[in-house]
Amino acid sequence: MKNYIQAEEWNIIEEGFDPHLNKISESIFSIGNGRMGQRANFEEQYQGETLQGNYVAGVYYPDKTRVGWWKNGYPDYFAKVLNAANWIGLHLSIDGEVIDLSQAKVSAFQRQLNMKEGYLQRSFTAELASGKQIAVIAKRFCSLADDEVAALQYQLTALNFDGQLSVTSFTDGDVKNQDSNYEEKFWDEVGRKEDGDTTYLTLRTKKTEFEVCTATRSSLLVNGQAIDFAPANENKDKFVSVTATVNLKQGEQATIYKIATNISSMNYAKNELQEVSSQVLARASKLGFDQLLADQAAAWASKWEESDILIEGDVAAQQAIRFNIFQMNQTYTGKDARLNIGPKGFTGEKYGGSTYWDTEAYCIPFYLATAPAEVAKNLLIYRYKHLQKAIENAQKLGFNNGAALYPMVTMNGEECHNEWEITFEEIHRNGAIAFAIYNYIRYTGDVSYLQEYGLEVLIGIARFWKQRVNWSGDKNKFVMLGVTGPNEYENNINNNWYTNTLAAWCLNYAVEAAAIVEKNAPELYSQIVAKTNLQEAAEFGDWKNVADNMYYPYDEKADVFLQQDGFLDKEQMLVADLPESDRPLNQKWSWDRILRSVFIKQADVLQGFYFFEDNYDLETLRRNFNFYEARTVHESSLSPCVHSILASRLNDGEKAYEFYLRTARLDLDDYNNDTEDGLHITSMAGTWMSIVEGFAGMRVRNDQLKFSPFVPAQWKSFSFNITFRGTTLKIKITANEISITNDAPETLTVQVLDQSYEIPQGQKTITY
């Protein structure tokens, strides 16, 4: 665990430069706007340890799978969001001496992520080997107001010398992914052009043939006077640059501006990319850096109005929740149903940047409550559009009759994960997608989604579960063999309680959804029946039979659901017995030792209690929570938030707060020693859930919002805004009061604890 980020409510601040922490900071201080993003690399040259990362949403490469032992059914490739052209590059020298912080004496270094206004600022003083001293303030952002635009400002002051400053502003497309399986570079050059102060570099991905034009316009001012850039004429493949020189006197400041755009063939015809880039640069340049930054602040003000959480009395917790919300809003804006949310967003390459089940299980609730309904809906439509691919994925594994198995990892709907125990066995992802449909409808009331999109998906998923189980004569029940649950520290096990529970629920929900569509839209229902060749009586009967006769492992002595068959055969150690030097297990133990141990990456059973809490009383939850929590090492980023929410329900404020802080500051404090690979974007939604669903106890019951609030002992109060079925509510919770402000003229009924209250327009305070 690191602890070098200063606690401030609206800013993430690093004071002092430690090269050993640089890659961690590059992740933490990343910026993006849903269309593109980048790590917090330096603009100037840096020969120290770094992971240069610039990413364009939706652009990927099918990197050939690399495994030691090929198995039938393996995907041929692992899809990867690509490290794209580096547009921020500035090569700077003073009288021929290159500015490089790995070679200079650095003082007064500060990195600051201004979350309120949406920009990254870095400042430092450096002494070069020659003794020349410079002061730099660099600021940049990816525009939320215009998501095709990014911009930077770089101010350099000569502190103790007169000398010549040389500035080369470049775009470098000769990049590769750190996670390339065969050290291959994934881009080919299509064209490049230097035109005065403007450069264009168009690259094409191999195989997938996406094209991206990265265009920049650079300017340099000294004492208010513009210094002309000219083409540098560096004849390098996948590289363009312009150069300017200026004589600086002691105390003078040179200011470099660079406006950039990434224009992709996802959105424009390939032959239009350079022209569109030119148009985007023209409109952005006309506004100028200061106005673009002002527009950025206004766009973020709107985002914060929707999604901010205000905590009184705990600066570390306040900073953490805003950091998580900030990164969520940087990663996905919901404008494009072709895009989804990678576990690392725009902050790194681990996990390929592809879509996982995290989106449905963790991210959907955040966007449902903090954004217009179409944002979450687009995440569901993404899966609907991949239904045929999901059917094909199932066919590759031997399933038929329209059974759909959604991929564990994907960019285009095709499975591209290649660890057999996950690719073939971590099939609970199917259930998370079905549950997200249910959750969306429960929250929005948009039942029409079933007839437009949802029912077809649910039919495919139900058909998969029906074929995946088999009848056990020994148990006289349906069983599910050879699976991996969310706890990936158990592989190839039988009767994972969570997976069996989720499968049975999916089968029942598919039948229920069909009845809803048949009632509300009989003509559309008939079309769906015909399109899917649904044999209603026979298939519904089969689905209900499996759901009604599913086997669930259970131990009578401990009175808990067992994570899977044979779980109690393991030596029953507790996390409290683990030496701290053994943590994290995935970095200290062999995989064999992990698999044989009782220790849990994330508790499958408790994930089931989170989804289906209404099915179990508090005492059942308490027994299972105490049993599994004691054995869980939380080495999945998705784990602590679920534990926090369940601890809140059990009124265990101490544990709820402990797990909240762990999930909220997971990356800021580098809990799992892996932040340098990128942030845990999808689990950040769980931080929001820990507060809104945990501490505030917000649920949707019978088409109404319900709150069961408490305030952690470390806080005075907390406040947040949510949108529910077209109405925006402002919620403030103190130790014994909840204040609800309704912005709409319509009266809304909410439940607080077990009592209903009418909330007319205006504010109502309820004491409990």
Side-chain angles (χ1 to χ4, degrees):
M1 175 179 171
K2 316 294 191 302
N3 187 22
Y4 70 94
I5 299 298
Q6 294 188 4
E8 279 203 16
E9 293 184 349
W10 279 108
N11 297 289
I12 308 299
I13 296 177
E14 172 190 18
E15 291 280 3
F17 181 53
D18 183 344
H20 300 97
L21 300 175
N22 186 51
K23 286 175 69 176
I24 298 171
S25 293
E26 287 178 348
S27 297
I28 291 173
F29 291 85
S30 295
I31 57 173
N33 63 7
R35 186 71 66 185
M36 58 180 162
Q38 65 181 164
R39 290 169 59 85
N41 310 109
F42 299 162
E43 290 87 356
E44 74 278 354
Q45 178 174 307
Y46 181 68
Q47 296 182 67
E49 192 173 3
T50 182
L51 170 57
Q52 179 68 50
N54 295 267
Y55 308 99
V56 179
V59 176
Y60 69 94
Y61 176 82
D63 196 9
K64 182 174 172 54
T65 295
R66 186 169 189 169
V67 292
W69 180 21
W70 194 271
K71 295 176 176 62
N72 289 336
Y74 263 174
D76 292 329
Y77 68 88
F78 191 94
K80 293 172 179 177
V81 171
L82 301 189
N83 196 348
N86 172 25
W87 67 269
I88 66 172
L90 297 174
H91 185 84
L92 305 165
S93 63
I94 305 290
D95 294 330
E97 188 174 14
V98 175
I99 297 173
D100 182 337
L101 295 195
S102 70
Q103 308 297 316
K105 183 179 179 181
V106 181
S107 60
F109 181 96
Q110 183 188 78
R111 236 183 301 220
Q112 175 182 342
L113 188 64
N114 184 314
M115 298 182 290
K116 190 172 187 178
E117 298 182 11
Y119 64 84
L120 167 64
Q121 180 169 296
R122 180 172 58 102
S123 60
F124 63 87
T125 300
E127 182 176 310
L128 308 182
S130 63
K132 295 183 175 69
Q133 296 175 358
I134 58 171
V136 169
I137 301 174
K139 185 181 293 186
R140 70 176 186 248
F141 59 92
C142 294
S143 175
L144 204 64
D146 184 345
D147 64 11
E148 294 179 329
V149 172
L152 69 82
Q153 177 192 67
Y154 195 98
Q155 297 174 313
L156 184 150
T157 302
L159 296 181
N160 67 344
F161 66 90
D162 297 344
Q164 186 181 73
L165 169 67
S166 174
V167 180
T168 298
S169 175
F170 65 86
T171 300
D172 183 9
D174 191 23
V175 295
K176 71 175 184 179
N177 275 45
Q178 178 180 258
D179 65 348
S180 171
N181 283 340
Y182 296 91
E183 300 300 316
E184 183 181 8
K185 293 182 178 180
F186 301 143
W187 295 96
D188 288 325
E189 181 182 303
V190 174
R192 52 191 151 109
K193 178 182 178 182
E194 297 104 342
D195 183 9
D197 58 6
T198 304
T199 66
Y200 302 89
L201 178 64
T202 304
L203 302 177
R204 179 189 298 124
T205 61
K206 299 175 181 178
K207 295 184 182 179
T208 46
E209 296 190 342
F210 292 101
E211 290 190 12
V212 177
C213 180
T214 301
T216 69
R217 180 166 294 167
S218 303
S219 56
L220 172 62
L221 285 85
V222 178
N223 298 327
Q225 180 180 354
I227 309 299
D228 290 336
F229 274 95
N233 296 319
E234 295 187 62
N235 190 23
K236 294 166 61 177
D237 188 42
K238 294 181 280 192
F239 185 93
V240 288
S241 62
V242 292
T243 295
T245 58
V246 62
N247 292 317
L248 285 183
K249 294 182 179 179
Q250 182 175 345
E252 288 187 331
Q253 183 180 81
T255 301
I256 305 160
Y257 293 102
K258 195 170 184 179
I259 295 174
T261 184
N262 286 302
I263 301 299
S264 165
S265 61
M266 284 188 66
N267 305 306
Y268 300 95
K270 292 179 180 179
N271 62 357
E272 297 176 351
L273 296 184
Q274 184 171 309
E275 177 59 28
V276 172
S277 297
S278 178
Q279 294 170 4
V280 173
L281 282 183
R283 74 170 183 249
S285 300
K286 184 177 181 180
L287 291 173
F289 183 87
D290 291 342
Q291 185 59 52
L292 289 170
L293 186 59
D295 293 345
Q296 173 81 336
W300 272 105
S302 178
K303 281 289 184 187
W304 287 118
E305 181 65 26
E306 292 175 336
S307 56
D308 188 26
I309 293 179
L310 173 64
I311 297 170
E312 289 188 284
D314 190 339
V315 174
Q318 176 68 86
Q319 179 189 50
I321 187 58
R322 283 188 172 137
F323 177 68
N324 285 262
I325 292 170
F326 179 75
Q327 293 295 347
M328 289 293 294
N329 282 325
Q330 284 201 130
T331 302
Y332 183 76
T333 60
K335 295 179 180 179
D336 190 337
R338 297 170 300 171
L339 302 179
N340 207 283
I341 305 163
K344 296 297 183 185
F346 298 118
T347 72
E349 297 162 19
K350 192 174 181 181
Y351 306 119
S354 305
T355 301
Y356 285 62
W357 69 286
D358 310 16
T359 292
E360 284 75 26
Y362 295 87
C363 300
I364 289 280
F366 170 78
Y367 292 108
L368 280 173
T370 64
E374 59 265 22
V375 172
K377 187 175 183 178
N378 274 342
L379 289 172
L380 298 181
I381 291 174
Y382 176 90
R383 294 294 194 179
Y384 170 78
K385 290 183 175 180
H386 290 172
L387 176 58
Q388 184 55 43
K389 288 286 188 183
I391 292 171
E392 293 170 11
N393 292 335
Q395 289 172 343
K396 292 175 184 177
L397 301 184
F399 297 88
N400 53 43
N401 190 38
L405 175 59
Y406 277 91
M408 185 66 184
V409 179
T410 194
M411 285 298 297
N412 65 358
E414 187 174 23
E415 177 65 78
C416 63
H417 196 281
N418 54 36
E419 296 175 24
W420 67 269
E421 66 272 20
I422 293 175
T423 305
F424 304 151
E425 297 193 340
E426 200 165 336
I427 53 179
H428 66 85
R429 66 221 191 213
N430 246 21
I433 291 167
F435 188 84
I437 294 171
Y438 163 76
N439 208 16
Y440 167 81
I441 294 168
R442 174 174 64 174
Y443 194 90
T444 64
D446 180 15
V447 179
S448 67
Y449 182 82
L450 285 175
Q451 64 209 37
E452 293 180 73
Y453 308 103
L455 182 56
E456 289 182 50
V457 172
L458 295 173
I459 289 170
I461 289 173
R463 285 170 166 169
F464 171 81
W465 290 125
K466 166 61 178 64
Q467 296 176 47
R468 187 58 171 78
V469 300
N470 61 272
W471 180 257
S472 167
D474 177 63
K475 292 181 171 60
N476 205 33
K477 292 283 185 181
F478 286 102
V479 296
M480 204 175 313
L481 309 178
V483 301
T484 298
N487 172 33
E488 293 169 347
Y489 287 178
E490 298 276 8
N491 298 154
N492 196 35
I493 48 89
N494 296 332
N495 294 309
N496 175 256
W497 181 87
Y498 170 71
T499 305
N500 286 17
T501 299
L502 197 53
W505 177 86
C506 288
L507 291 163
N508 283 326
Y509 184 53
V511 175
E512 177 187 332
I516 292 171
V517 174
E518 184 177 26
K519 178 182 177 181
N520 293 342
E523 290 186 10
L524 285 175
Y525 178 73
S526 296
Q527 294 174 17
I528 294 170
V529 168
K531 181 179 180 182
T532 61
N533 194 26
L534 180 65
Q535 306 301 306
E536 298 167 84
E539 291 194 78
F540 290 170
D542 286 345
W543 299 351
K544 290 291 291 180
N545 183 42
V546 172
D548 292 345
N549 292 281
M550 186 72 79
Y551 168 72
Y552 305 102
Y554 178 78
D555 182 70
E556 293 186 1
K557 184 177 179 180
D559 200 11
V560 296
F561 298 111
L562 290 183
Q563 184 169 266
Q564 72 267 343
D565 286 348
F567 183 74
L568 292 182
D569 292 336
K570 292 170 175 283
E571 182 183 0
Q572 294 298 306
M573 294 177 63
L574 304 181
V575 174
D577 301 325
L578 266 177
E580 189 62 34
S581 59
D582 282 7
R583 307 281 299 276
L585 300 185
N586 58 25
Q587 297 176 24
K588 301 296 181 65
W589 283 14
S590 71
W591 193 244
D592 167 73
R593 188 179 180 187
I594 289 174
L595 291 176
R596 287 186 289 107
S597 80
V598 74
F599 297 117
I600 298 168
K601 186 180 181 184
Q602 67 181 105
D604 302 13
V605 172
L606 299 188
Q607 182 74 36
F609 273 87
Y610 167 67
F611 274 173
F612 306 118
E613 64 179 6
D614 290 347
N615 296 344
Y616 310 99
D617 61 35
L618 281 178
E619 284 311 307
T620 302
L621 170 59
R622 193 181 311 278
R623 287 194 307 274
N624 282 274
F625 182 87
N626 291 339
F627 182 84
Y628 285 106
E629 168 49 33
R631 292 160 174 80
T632 303
V633 291
H634 299 291
E635 289 174 12
S636 165
S637 65
L638 303 174
S639 183
C641 65
V642 169
H643 287 245
S644 179
I645 293 166
L646 296 180
S648 292
R649 186 163 179 245
L650 292 170
N651 204 29
D652 188 340
E654 184 176 342
K655 278 193 176 299
Y657 179 78
E658 173 192 340
F659 291 126
Y660 160 75
L661 208 58
R662 175 158 182 158
T663 189
R665 298 195 66 86
L666 177 71
D667 289 313
L668 288 176
D669 294 337
D670 196 19
Y671 267 94
N672 289 340
N673 198 33
D674 60 0
T675 300
E676 68 177 40
D677 297 327
L679 304 177
H680 297 82
I681 297 296
T682 47
S683 73
M684 288 179 168
T687 305
W688 179 92
M689 289 159 53
S690 297
I691 294 179
V692 176
E693 297 184 7
F695 302 152
M698 190 184 84
R699 303 288 189 275
V700 179
R701 296 291 182 267
N702 301 318
D703 294 320
Q704 295 178 355
L705 287 177
K706 177 181 179 180
F707 296 92
S708 301
F710 86 93
V711 178
Q714 295 83 352
W715 301 359
K716 295 178 182 178
S717 70
F718 64 101
S719 310
F720 57 91
N721 295 348
I722 57 166
T723 300
F724 178 69
R725 302 193 179 184
T727 299
T728 298
L729 298 177
K730 298 180 180 179
I731 313 294
K732 181 174 183 179
I733 296 172
T734 62
N736 56 6
E737 287 184 346
I738 179 170
S739 173
I740 304 175
T741 302
N742 179 4
D743 285 347
E746 295 80 16
T747 296
L748 196 69
T749 301
V750 303
Q751 294 181 51
V752 177
L753 300 175
D754 292 321
Q755 189 170 343
S756 293
Y757 296 89
E758 299 293 317
I759 312 294
Q761 187 174 30
Q763 180 177 325
K764 186 178 184 70
T765 300
I766 300 163
T767 302
Y768 49 83

